[in-house]
Amino acid sequence: MPTTAILGLQWGDEGKGKLVDSLCARHDLCVRFQGGGNAGHTVYPEGRKIVLHHLPTGVLHRQCVNVMGQGMVIDPDRLLDEIAEVEARGFALKGRLVISDRAAVTTPMHLSLDGIRESGSGKVGTTKRGIGPTYADRYDRIGVRMVDLLDRTSLKEALERAVAVRACQMGKQAPSVDSMLEPLLQAGEKLKPYIADAALLLAEGLREQRRVLFEGAQGAMLDVGQGTYPFVTSSHTLSTGIPAGCGLVTPLQDVIGVTKAYCTRVGDGPFPTELNDATGELLRTKGGEFGATTGRPRRCGWIDLFALRYVCRISGITRLAITKLDVLSGMETVRVGVGYKDHNEPGLPADIRRFSALRPKYEALPGWSEDISGVRDLAGLPANAQALLRVIEQQVGVPVGIVSVGPGRDAWFTVAG
Ligand code: GDP
Ligand code: IMO
Ligand code: MG
């Protein structure tokens, strides 16, 4: 079974959407298995920008069937807006989109809860898309699921259950069941043609040897289990999230880990290689580092090869995709984090205070001045850019298989292993 996964290795925004878009032409199914409207995947189909949040990037390839797995959290109104936008761009979705009937629904109550949490002392700088509260309700068994949107009685019962529990936390801010019922039913009516048993469809596709691409959202360092907890998202972003998020187990042939040639983070939490100086500012400006979902400026810093080595080991990454190498053009010196002072263990600390205290050790490499955005093979890169890729491979212990040198669909090339 030809299966590929494309997963972020940092704190999100590595360029996953661009790579999925670039590789989708060779796949029959594109599958999202976690996250929801917190994702912002920027792509340039036919040269014009579009940002996808819920929809798998395969919607922009007319031969591709797209699956939203049970591990996702879905805000029905925002999803409908996205569907309308994609269809207005000429990508009809009829017969090409399947939403799991078991996926979790983000209601207005979850959006309020996210806002309340973020205004208090436990703030993590979320996207305020209701992600944490929706997952919390799912695991607390008081969640609303896509299937509930198709039946008034089921939806009313599900909302009553959830409001009864959350009202204690929200007080007067708790929305009434009635205020949510009709709009959610209306959204359900519109989404009905897409709602189905996605796991079954996927199992069938795999049995028929369809080529399946699993599209990760967020990144390994935001994984709720292995990331910089509590400054993480609420889902499993590693390859470990694929089986539970799709509702089936399948071997993965190619697990592509995506990393920028530098590093960014949006929201709060530790970031050992962060640059709070002119170089950080330069990366932000040259790389256009502003959140695709919230517009927030992204924090910028050097690539952290120690952290990458750690997450590659636990996520079974078979090859690396290095994005935004073009952004480093013109830098006299490029630094790469290769470890931390006074940290002699192979792993990353689980304790957030210890993680926050990590002080990076760098290797400095000479930069290059050439514009590399038109380069389409390894040999076309300046020698110093090739040397940087070799250092990345050596330190991370995984081969570089793909290099991306621009935001466009064609601005990338493969590197033979
Ligand atoms: P995602 O969330 O991982 O899909 O990444 P985002 O879309 O949030 O952020 C990546 C940004 O970098 C987007 O604006 C992409 O258009 C852009 N991008 C992706 N790959 C490259 C690249 O190789 N070079 C440049 N200059 N931009 C890129
Ligand atoms: P893509 O798929 C970057 C971050 C938020 C916050 C933390 C928790 O585009 O890479 P949440 O709203 O999920 O509860 O926020 O996670 N975050 C992302 N950062 N890219 C993303 O998605 C992100 N999704 C969530 O900024 O720090
Ligand atoms: Mg993004």
Side-chain angles (χ1 to χ4, degrees), residues 40-285:
H41 296 182
T42 316
V43 264
Y44 288 83
E46 295 154 9
R48 253 180 69 214
K49 178 174 166 173
I50 189 162
V51 181
L52 298 171
H53 302 282
H54 291 86
L55 288 172
T57 299
V59 293
L60 307 173
H61 291 260
R62 294 181 178 87
Q63 92 295 347
C64 208
V65 171
N66 295 274
V67 178
M68 297 172 62
Q70 65 177 25
M72 287 192 72
V73 288
I74 298 171
D75 181 330
D77 281 336
R78 287 203 183 237
L79 173 59
L80 282 165
D81 289 346
E82 264 181 82
I83 290 174
E85 189 185 356
V86 164
E87 293 211 309
R89 289 279 293 268
F91 300 98
L93 292 180
K94 193 162 179 277
R96 284 206 307 126
L97 177 65
V98 180
I99 305 168
S100 171
D101 44 12
R102 291 160 169 88
V105 174
T106 297
T107 66
M109 183 176 74
H110 298 118
L111 298 173
S112 303
L113 278 165
D114 203 353
I116 293 168
R117 279 289 311 277
E118 283 295 291
S119 57
S121 58
K123 171 178 174 296
V124 294
T126 73
T127 58
K128 301 213 180 126
R129 295 296 186 268
I131 306 298
T134 309
Y135 277 117
D137 278 8
R138 173 180 199 147
Y139 287 101
D140 209 3
R141 294 151 298 180
I142 53 166
V144 178
R145 302 192 303 168
M146 290 305 291
V147 68
D148 298 324
L149 301 187
L150 305 180
D151 181 85
R152 176 180 291 272
T153 310
S154 302
L155 181 60
K156 193 159 184 281
E157 276 177 21
L159 288 171
E160 280 167 354
R161 213 166 44 215
V163 171
V165 175
R166 295 291 168 217
C168 321
Q169 198 179 344
M170 299 179 76
K172 287 201 182 94
Q173 291 185 63
S176 68
V177 170
D178 283 347
S179 70
M180 294 189 281
L181 186 64
E182 290 306 327
L184 284 170
L185 279 172
Q186 279 167 25
E189 189 59 34
K190 292 182 194 147
L191 291 170
K192 193 173 175 179
Y194 306 113
I195 300 173
D197 187 337
L200 200 60
L201 175 120
L202 196 51
E204 197 57 19
L206 287 162
R207 200 181 58 79
E208 290 168 358
Q209 299 289 311
R210 298 264 184 262
R211 297 160 301 175
V212 182
L213 196 162
F214 296 96
E215 173 178 6
Q218 291 78 52
M221 300 294 282
L222 287 171
D223 182 88
V224 68
Q226 295 288 345
T228 47
Y229 194 90
F231 300 99
V232 290
T233 190
S234 299
S235 66
H236 292 283
T237 61
L238 305 174
S239 48
T240 49
I242 296 176
C246 295
L248 58 77
V249 175
T250 186
L252 299 171
Q253 257 93 57
D254 193 8
V255 187
I256 303 174
V258 190
T259 168
K260 283 174 187 165
Y262 50 98
C263 190
T264 62
R265 176 165 203 169
V266 209
D268 301 348
F271 178 179
T273 57
E274 182 171 15
L275 292 168
N276 288 307
D277 61 8
T279 310
E281 192 55 48
L282 184 72
L283 287 171
R284 184 157 38 251
T285 312

Side-chain angles (χ1 to χ4, degrees), residues 12-14 16 38-42 292-293 298:
D13 303 329
E14 298 89 349
K16 298 172 294 291
N38 50 350
H41 296 182
T42 316
T293 298
R298 294 176 181 151

Side-chain angles (χ1 to χ4, degrees), residues 300-334:
C300 296
W302 297 118
I303 192 169
D304 185 338
L305 301 181
F306 188 94
L308 286 173
R309 184 180 183 84
Y310 175 77
V311 298
C312 281
R313 275 194 210 160
I314 58 176
S315 206
I317 301 299
T318 55
R319 53 182 178 143
L320 295 173
I322 311 292
T323 60
K324 304 194 100 161
L325 190 63
D326 53 302
V327 175
L328 297 183
S329 286
M331 289 200 152
E332 206 171 307
T333 304
V334 174

